[in-house]
RNA sequence: GACUCGGUAGCUCAGCAGGAUAGAGCAACGGCCUUCUAAGCCGUCGGUCGGGGGUUCGAAUCCCUUCCGAGUCGCCA
């Protein structure tokens, strides 16, 4: 709501001032850093410069224009401080409007994404590798972006583009056939397959020729070798079983699990089209698309004729365009693949398709260990499952300490633990690299998931015992600073969701929820809610119920679990 | 070496379509539970916004340069 007021103020002032000065005027309308200066402020320096008139004169003119504005009734005070015009809301008018609108804020249907489809490619783990804390980022960032866009009215297609193809399978199959132990693999599939993968790379250091063997095996797999195919299918199946367990824990779901292998029979069409359009060029035995000076060429086909990652991604992209007719396609994939997606876009552009503009790489920072990228090849990975268990266990210890009589302790502690891990990842801007730090991940104090859940639970325990009528409210009670902070924050919810979507960054929502929770906890410390005065109680219960609605919906959008007691 | 991203309080991070004294959390220290969940609240301490130039009435924010860290740079994904 504040955004709406700001933009209306801005456009009205621009029209008015442009006609006064007979030239185009740009007006800046912002919120001051500190609230004691007011709620909205207008710095006039740029106008002074544009019209070349004395500052005080310009301020007079702007204030006059302001007084004629449609939104002037929202304000109670207008102060001039140097080159700033500071406006203070009429808290009563503002609070009424916000509370009336907020009653249905969480059930509100947004129109922004109406009739628009977005495909989101996320999680996409590589088969035969454990689900690591690295995969977690893509999974929960993608999931949260999907939720937020759905809330804004988009039709969201969630795609888990499994990494179930590629030379790595040549490596694993080679290792399995040469030094694998069937019984061990059957017993503990992923763990053993990773061991084989790591062993392969150790061996390859001394005998690099096995890399060629692996490539050969992959080529034959691609061509349909039945023995290899059977192994591949088996590896895929056992891996997927493992991943489904993790998805269940995280409460993440997908509309499609079509991985890279799904496109095996759809790549020739891409190669043909590239050839037909004269974009393919033979270079050092491989087929490439030249992308000019500022980008390395895209390798479409290896010299042995087998395909590469980008070939499969192109096939997948066209398949998605044809199948879902998306307006946007998002790839939630790490920073290190930036070049790959730039190349993908460039190739699509060269092919003459405008929708290259709708391809967005939602990049995110790496999970580092000792300042370096984690590497499966060197066996340096942390399993997500272990981290989730650690967090849940710690959460249980908290409950036993603070609320030992709680029912369903295990269930609740798992919800707290998993949500803590999720929130810890989402609270920071996605492109930042993060150093793996278990202690941070399972921290339950301060700006954390449990803090949000705890805040919601506090509200719940008050609401549970009380009926209230949201029509019988005394808006005068919202005049105090600690109440009005909450009113203003509630008023920001919609624009926060839009900002989170525009920046494809769940952290915007995460930070907002922390802010809301923090204001609530201040309020809670200062005010008694279950007071005897009926109207006052009613007013406070209405307010905190709105806060809980937003907190709960916000947490759900982030992929966290909402609980009632803890 | 080239390119990309980052460097803000001891630690983790906000702020960056330029705007008024740079904000949170953690840690440290000091308060607050006979009253709605203290996983909370209040206060204190803590910053040459990596360094140096420049543009501007005004720079953490824009430009240049330099240092540091990470990532990527043709037959992995």
């Amino acid at each position: 709501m504040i955004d709406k007021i700001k933009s209306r103020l801005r456009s009205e002032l621009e029209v008015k001032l442009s006609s006064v000065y007979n030239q185009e005027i740009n007006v800046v309308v912002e919120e001051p850093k500190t609230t004691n200066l007011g709620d909205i402020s207008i710095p006039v320096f740029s106008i002074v410069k544009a019209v070349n008139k004395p500052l005080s004169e310009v301020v007079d003119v702007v204030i006059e224009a302001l007084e004629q504005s449609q939104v002037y009734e929202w304000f109670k005070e207008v102060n001039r401080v140097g080159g700033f015009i500071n406006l203070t809301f009429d808290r009563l008018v503002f609070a009424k409007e916000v509370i009336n609108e907020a009653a249905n804020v969480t059930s509100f249907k947004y129109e922004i994404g109406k009739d628009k489809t977005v495909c989101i490619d996320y999680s996409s783990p590589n088969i035969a590798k454990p689900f690591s804390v690295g995969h977690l980022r893509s999974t929960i960032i993608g999931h949260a972006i999907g939720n937020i866009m759905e809330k804004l009215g988009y039709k969201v297609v969630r795609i888990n583009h499994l990494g179930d193809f590629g030379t790595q399978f040549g490596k694993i199959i080679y290792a399995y056939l040469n030094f694998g132990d069937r019984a061990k693999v059957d017993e503990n599939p992923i763990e053993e397959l990773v061991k084989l993968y790591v062993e392969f790379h150790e061996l390859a250091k001394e005998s690099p020729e096995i890399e060629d063997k692996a490539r050969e095996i992959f080529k034959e797999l691609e061509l349909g070798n039945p023995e290899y195919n059977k192994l591949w299918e088996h590896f895929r199946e056992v891996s997927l079983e493992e991943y489904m367990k993790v998805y269940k824990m995280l409460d993440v779901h997908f509309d499609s699990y079509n991985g890279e292998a799904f496109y095996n029979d759809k790549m020739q069409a891409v190669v043909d089209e590239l050839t037909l359009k004269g974009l393919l060029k033979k270079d050092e035995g491989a087929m490439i698309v030249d992308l000019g000076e500022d980008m390395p060429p895209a390798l479409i086909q290896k010299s042995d004729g087998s395909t590469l990652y980008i070939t499969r991604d192109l096939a997948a992209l066209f398949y998605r365009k044809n199948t879902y007719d998306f307006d946007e396609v998002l790839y939630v994939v790490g920073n290190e693949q930036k070049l790959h997606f730039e190349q993908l876009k460039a190739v699509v552009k060269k092919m003459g398709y405008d929708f290259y503009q709708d391809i967005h790489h939602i990049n995110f920072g790496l999970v580092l260990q000792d300042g370096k990228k984690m590497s499966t090849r060197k066996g340096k990975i942390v399993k997500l499952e272990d981290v989730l268990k650690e967090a849940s266990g710690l959460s249980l210890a908290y409950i036993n300490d603070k609320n030992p009589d709680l029912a369903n302790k295990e269930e609740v502690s798992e919800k707290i633990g998993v949500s803590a891990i999720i929130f810890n990842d989402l609270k920071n801007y996605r492109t930042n690299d993060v150093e793996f730090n278990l202690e941070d991940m399972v921290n339950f104090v301060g700006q954390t998931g449990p803090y949000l859940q705890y805040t919601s639970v506090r509200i719940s325990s008050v609401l549970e015992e009380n009926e209230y009528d949201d029509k019988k409210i005394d808006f005068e009670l919202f005049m105090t600073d600690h109440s009005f902070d909450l009113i203003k924050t509630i008023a920001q919810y919609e624009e926060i969701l839009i900002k989170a979507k525009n920046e494809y960054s769940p952290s915007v929502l995460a930070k907002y929820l922390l802010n809301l929770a923090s204001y609530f906890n201040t309020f809670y410390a200062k005010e008694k809610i279950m007071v005897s005065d009926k109207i006052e109680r009613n007013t406070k219960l209405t307010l905190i119920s709105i806060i809980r609605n937003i907190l709960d919906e916000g947490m759900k959008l982030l992929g966290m679990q909402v609980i009632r007691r803890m």
Side-chain angles (χ1 to χ4, degrees):
Chain A
M1 177 163 311
I2 294 178
D3 262 10
K4 282 182 196 158
I5 294 171
K6 273 157 66 183
S7 61
R8 271 183 72 178
L9 204 52
R10 186 178 160 187
S11 58
E12 282 185 38
L13 286 177
E14 283 183 346
V15 170
K16 187 80 190 167
L17 294 172
S18 296
S19 88
V20 169
Y21 289 112
N22 205 18
Q23 60 173 291
E24 201 175 309
I25 302 288
N26 287 312
V27 179
V28 177
V29 179
E30 57 191 20
E31 286 165 69
K33 296 251 153 84
T34 46
T35 48
N36 59 344
L37 291 167
D39 299 303
I40 301 281
S41 89
I42 305 168
V44 299
F45 307 100
S46 59
I47 305 172
V48 169
K49 200 175 178 190
V51 300
N52 197 22
K53 293 268 160 66
L55 191 137
S56 63
E57 191 188 312
V58 172
V59 172
D60 287 340
V61 172
V62 176
I63 288 178
E64 204 189 318
L66 204 59
E67 283 165 354
Q68 292 166 28
S69 162
Q70 299 274 321
V71 290
Y72 189 64
E73 59 178 27
W74 285 88
F75 300 102
K76 194 175 189 178
E77 248 180 81
V78 178
N79 289 309
R80 39 200 306 170
V81 184
F84 292 91
I85 299 169
N86 295 330
L87 308 173
T88 306
F89 283 130
D90 183 327
R91 293 188 171 186
L92 204 58
V93 172
F94 190 79
K96 270 186 193 166
E97 196 69 26
V98 172
I99 294 296
N100 288 336
E101 210 173 273
N104 57 3
V105 67
T106 47
S107 57
F108 191 73
K109 287 271 180 288
Y110 291 87
E111 297 276 304
I112 296 168
K114 200 168 174 262
D115 299 325
K116 285 189 190 148
T117 299
V118 57
C119 289
I120 312 185
D121 178 328
Y122 64 99
S123 196
S124 312
N126 287 332
I127 294 291
K129 291 183 191 171
F131 202 97
S132 76
V133 289
H135 295 115
L136 177 68
R137 300 216 75 195
S138 172
T139 308
I140 62 183
I141 292 169
H143 184 232
I145 292 174
N147 295 345
I148 291 167
M149 291 186 84
E150 234 160 40
K151 167 74 184 171
L152 294 176
Y154 286 82
K155 180 175 188 286
V156 176
V157 182
R158 299 157 185 273
I159 303 173
N160 193 341
H161 188 68
L162 295 169
D164 57 4
F165 223 53
T167 311
Q168 52 176 333
F169 285 93
K171 293 176 182 175
I172 292 167
I173 292 172
Y174 176 88
Y176 181 77
L177 292 176
N178 286 280
F179 38 87
D181 181 331
R182 171 134 218 162
K184 274 191 186 168
V185 172
D186 285 348
E187 198 182 314
N188 223 335
I190 303 244
E191 207 172 294
E192 283 304 315
L193 290 176
V194 172
K195 270 190 199 161
L196 290 174
Y197 190 67
V198 173
E199 271 177 57
F200 177 92
H201 283 283
E202 273 165 16
L203 193 64
K205 270 187 224 158
E206 280 138 46
S207 344
E209 69 278 1
I210 65 169
E211 297 261 9
D212 289 330
K213 292 245 173 89
R215 274 191 278 270
E216 210 172 289
I217 291 173
F218 171 61
K219 197 196 164 186
E220 282 185 45
L221 175 66
E222 203 171 21
L223 293 172
N225 177 309
E227 187 198 354
Y228 297 159
N229 199 64
K230 211 174 154 191
L231 281 175
W232 169 80
E233 226 166 64
H234 179 65
F235 294 158
R236 185 182 193 272
E237 200 180 308
V238 294
S239 305
L240 205 49
E241 269 170 34
E242 190 95 355
Y243 300 155
M244 292 315 279
K245 275 192 245 162
V246 176
Y247 293 138
K248 202 176 165 200
M249 273 196 270
L250 294 173
D251 201 11
V252 168
H253 58 275
F254 297 92
D255 300 305
S256 162
Y257 288 86
N258 288 337
E260 295 188 62
F262 176 79
Y263 301 99
N264 194 25
D265 61 354
K266 298 170 182 62
M267 284 181 289
Q268 192 54 45
V270 175
V271 176
D272 289 347
E273 186 176 342
L274 287 166
T275 310
L276 198 69
K277 291 183 170 164
L279 297 171
L280 225 46
K281 197 167 99 179
K282 195 156 192 164
D283 197 281
E284 295 172 32
M287 300 304 279
I288 63 160
V289 176
D290 198 329
L291 297 172
E293 294 284 304
D294 25 280
M295 224 185 280
L299 259 115
I300 302 294
Q301 216 166 37
K302 298 190 224 171
S303 34
D304 67 2
S306 66
T307 60
L308 286 146
Y309 182 41
I310 197 165
T311 325
R312 293 189 283 275
D313 251 359
L314 282 164
L317 178 66
F318 293 126
Y319 177 84
R320 288 170 191 172
K321 186 68 185 169
N322 291 331
T323 308
Y324 306 112
D325 191 27
F326 59 74
D327 296 275
E328 260 181 274
V329 58
L330 312 182
Y331 292 90
V332 186
V333 180
N335 273 340
E336 76 268 37
Q337 292 193 34
K338 201 159 194 267
L339 179 62
H340 167 74
F341 287 103
E342 278 167 13
Q343 289 178 320
L344 185 74
K345 280 177 88 158
V347 172
V348 175
K349 187 181 180 185
K350 278 210 149 196
M351 291 172 87
Y353 296 108
D354 278 343
F355 73 82
Y356 75 91
Q357 299 171 88
D358 309 322
I359 302 169
H360 302 294
H361 177 205
I362 312 305
N363 59 327
F364 57 82
L366 270 37
V367 181
L368 306 176
Q369 217 169 13
D370 306 322
K372 302 278 181 205
K373 189 180 166 182
M374 286 186 186
S375 162
T376 314
R377 294 184 181 192
K378 293 171 190 152
K380 285 181 76 177
I381 29 167
V382 180
K383 283 172 73 179
L384 176 62
E385 218 183 317
D386 298 340
V387 175
L388 293 180
K389 277 185 186 149
E390 176 88 17
S392 303
L394 192 63
S395 168
L396 186 60
Y398 262 85
I399 292 174
N400 282 331
D401 179 35
K402 294 175 187 290
N403 194 3
D405 300 328
L406 184 72
N408 316 319
K409 281 195 247 182
E410 274 77 19
E411 195 191 323
V412 173
S413 56
E414 190 172 302
K415 286 182 174 177
I416 295 170
V418 171
S419 296
I421 299 294
I422 291 174
F423 188 81
N424 179 259
D425 202 314
L426 292 178
K427 74 178 175 188
N428 293 331
Y429 187 61
R430 40 162 241 275
T431 64
N432 296 348
D433 284 347
V434 291
E435 175 72 30
F436 177 78
N437 184 334
L438 191 63
E439 230 170 278
D440 276 357
M441 292 174 101
V442 298
N443 178 22
F444 293 171
V445 176
Q447 299 172 330
T448 63
Y451 178 76
L452 296 181
Q453 287 171 320
Y454 178 72
T455 306
S456 169
V457 162
R458 277 182 134 182
I459 297 174
S460 292
S461 71
V462 179
L463 287 178
E464 249 175 42
E465 297 168 32
N466 289 278
E467 297 281 311
Y468 66 96
D469 179 353
D470 63 9
K471 297 288 176 290
K472 291 177 184 159
I473 291 176
D474 179 5
F475 289 98
E476 291 285 350
L477 292 167
F478 297 138
M479 298 304 100
T480 57
D481 284 347
H482 58 268
S483 303
F484 195 67
D485 282 338
L486 280 166
I487 298 287
K488 271 176 84 172
T489 308
I490 290 168
Q492 290 164 354
Y493 184 54
E494 184 183 351
E495 57 215 44
I496 286 292
L497 290 176
I498 293 167
K499 193 179 176 208
K501 176 245 146 198
N502 286 341
E503 296 178 10
Y504 303 108
S505 186
S507 67
V508 171
L509 177 58
K511 299 270 190 205
Y512 167 82
L513 295 175
L514 285 175
N515 205 19
L516 180 63
S518 166
Y519 280 136
F520 168 76
N521 283 315
T522 299
F523 176 86
Y524 186 85
K526 288 193 175 169
E527 302 261 358
K528 188 164 168 58
I529 293 162
M530 291 208 249
V531 290
S532 51
D533 184 280
K534 266 193 172 177
I535 296 277
E536 185 181 344
R537 198 188 338 167
N538 221 12
T539 302
K540 288 175 172 173
L541 289 170
T542 300
L543 177 69
I544 67 171
S545 127
I546 291 167
I547 294 163
R548 190 183 67 172
N549 284 346
I550 295 177
L551 279 175
D552 287 359
E553 183 179 79
M555 285 193 276
K556 279 185 204 154
L557 291 177
L558 292 178
M560 295 168 63
Q561 301 283 335
V562 169
I563 50 185
R564 287 286 170 256
R565 287 172 190 280
M566 66 191 274

